[in-house]
Amino acid sequence: MTRTPVNVTVTGAAGQIGYALLFRIASGQLLGADVPVKLRLLEITPALKAAEGTAMELDDCAFPLLQGIEITDDPNVAFDGANVALLVGARPRTKGMERGDLLEANGGIFKPQGQAINAHAADDIRVLVVGNPANTNALIAQAAAPDVPAERFTAMTRLDHNRALTQLAKKTGSTVSDIKRLTIWGNHSATQYPDIFHATVAGKNAAEVVNDEKWLAEEFIPTVAKRGAAIIEARGASSAASAANAAIDHVYSWVNGTPEGDWVSMGIPSDGSYGVPEGLISSFPVTVKDGQYEIVQGLEINEFSRTRIDASVKELEEEREAVRSLGLI
Ligand SMILES: NC(=O)c1ccc[n+]([C@@H]2O[C@H](COP(=O)([O-])OP(=O)(O)OC[C@H]3O[C@@H](n4cnc5c(N)ncnc54)[C@H](O)[C@@H]3O)[C@@H](O)[C@H]2O)c1
Ligand SMILES: O=C(O)C[C@H](O)C(=O)O
């Protein structure tokens, strides 16, 4: 193996998502089966010992692609030379909370991490924010990293995308691989809008196959949008393995591209497309080629979709105002 290893930084490495994520990164599922990686694990000081335990287990897997593990509580060390940064470390919500309730608690984590990325990361750094509220935390990190191109800061809505795929497959008696071009718009929150109007099921328009607007409005959308809360209710803890899986999917697509004829959902800085104010980190349908993502253009947005996209974007604007008034951006 002669390739230079890719430096992957994971924050919150000792947490539940971290535990589900690190082994998959080290086995080659994040970047590719032939890409060696070096892991940097960032944790708060009291959790360093637990992170060391995870690192011992990673060693014990003897992953051929894993070329080193460094554990630290210093963001300046963690992001030094980082090519990929997965910002997972943050407090999860518990029963009865909305993700936005975490803004103040978690917002403070992402400003110093953005500053450390700005000062130390590699020129090709790509950042995925998983910690909630993911879109606005990504905005905070991005604002603190003015020397990094803004489009390198993204937020995870791939879990919502995957959730929507399965719900639609169940409803239509198809498999997830039959479904293409599904979109999550807006915020990774209860206002998000999973859109099937441009999706296809085995080549046929999904909305026509479903032909049931009541199901769409009263079952599909709320099930996908409130799935995080349903997992918390059932498991007593927020989603972990499925969140880690979505983080793997997000970065893999970003680095390796999307298949011809399909797209994925990513929370990315808006360029004003589809009436989403420029700069907000909002979920869009994107295709990826040669490591660059592009928003899918020219989709017709009907009234049903417009109202829902606007509601989610309004919430993102309110979150941006809230972090502005907290001095975080
Ligand atoms: N975007 C999504 O789809 C999605 C899905 C699931 C969970 N989440 C979010 O991901 C976050 C992590 O969830 P989890 O279940 O792994 O939580 P967890 O509590 O199990 O782990 C979080 C870890 O982050 C660490 N941490 C806290 N502050 C830190 C800092 N400043 N630097 C580095 N590490 C720090 C903690 O010590 C802990 O080990 C939560 O905010 C959760 O809501 C997002
Ligand atoms: O819902 C949560 O708080 C966790 C996560 O964002 C999820 O969607 O499962």
Side-chain angles (χ1 to χ4, degrees):
M1 198 178 304
T2 53
R3 280 187 72 157
T4 316
V6 175
N7 293 321
V8 180
T9 301
V10 179
T11 75
Q16 50 154 7
I17 296 176
Y19 195 73
L21 183 60
L22 292 165
F23 298 86
R24 296 190 59 187
I25 299 173
S27 70
Q29 293 178 57
L30 185 78
L31 298 168
D34 58 348
V35 184
V37 291
K38 279 190 177 169
L39 283 171
R40 299 268 176 68
L41 313 186
L42 179 67
E43 258 298 350
I44 52 170
T45 316
L48 284 176
K49 198 160 166 31
E52 276 161 24
T54 304
M56 287 162 69
E57 285 202 69
L58 281 160
D59 279 342
D60 295 350
C61 293
F63 288 118
L65 292 171
L66 183 56
Q67 298 210 348
I69 311 171
E70 201 174 331
I71 303 164
T72 178
D73 56 3
D74 180 351
N76 294 312
V77 174
F79 294 112
D80 189 27
N83 306 106
V84 176
L86 302 174
L87 308 190
V88 178
R91 190 183 140 195
R93 66 172 165 156
T94 42
K95 243 188 217 174
M97 289 172 90
E98 283 303 327
R99 297 178 186 98
D101 297 336
L102 296 168
L103 256 188
E104 197 164 350
N106 287 342
I109 295 175
F110 291 86
K111 187 171 178 177
Q113 291 184 359
Q115 288 166 334
I117 288 169
N118 197 51
H120 302 288
D123 286 347
D124 67 348
I125 180 72
R126 285 178 167 92
V127 181
L128 168 63
V129 176
V130 174
N132 279 319
N135 302 53
T136 299
N137 287 337
L139 190 70
I140 294 169
Q142 182 207 67
D147 302 330
V148 177
E151 73 272 10
R152 305 286 186 75
F153 286 85
T154 66
M156 192 164 94
T157 54
R158 188 64 171 267
L159 178 54
D160 310 297
H161 184 102
N162 289 343
R163 286 167 171 165
L165 282 176
T166 299
Q167 294 304 319
L168 183 58
K170 284 186 175 171
K171 170 73 176 172
T172 55
S174 58
T175 68
V176 288
S177 337
D178 291 329
I179 300 172
K180 313 274 181 244
R181 302 186 176 204
L182 193 134
T183 306
I184 303 294
W185 299 92
N187 200 2
H188 172 63
S189 76
T191 67
Q192 69 178 266
Y193 171 50
D195 176 358
I196 68 163
F197 286 100
H198 307 285
T200 56
V201 179
K204 296 196 182 96
N205 179 271
E208 284 167 21
V209 173
V210 167
N211 192 25
D212 185 351
E213 199 168 298
K214 191 168 157 37
W215 174 80
L216 202 57
E218 293 176 19
E219 287 189 48
F220 175 72
I221 296 172
T223 299
V224 174
K226 295 182 186 162
R227 187 69 165 184
I231 304 276
I232 291 168
E233 179 71 36
R235 232 172 68 83
S238 77
S239 63
S242 56
N245 177 67
I248 296 273
D249 285 351
H250 176 114
V251 174
Y252 189 91
S253 297
W254 191 358
V255 171
N256 294 297
T258 45
E260 199 56 46
D262 200 3
W263 64 62
V264 295
S265 304
M266 282 171 73
I268 56 169
S270 175
D271 61 359
S273 293
Y274 297 102
V276 180
E278 210 175 322
L280 281 182
I281 298 198
S282 188
S283 187
F284 284 98
V286 301
T287 53
V288 185
K289 201 168 172 229
D290 301 327
Q292 308 286 333
Y293 61 75
E294 266 184 30
I295 297 175
V296 176
Q297 294 295 339
L299 300 177
E300 202 184 304
I301 305 297
N302 62 20
E303 209 34 56
F304 184 96
S305 299
R306 188 73 262 168
T307 320
R308 288 166 172 81
I309 295 172
D310 288 351
S312 197
V313 166
K314 183 166 172 280
E315 182 185 47
L316 283 171
E317 287 183 293
E318 288 163 3
E319 288 186 9
R320 180 165 67 180
E321 275 321 300
V323 294
R324 215 172 247 150
S325 64
L326 290 168
L328 292 168
I329 59 170

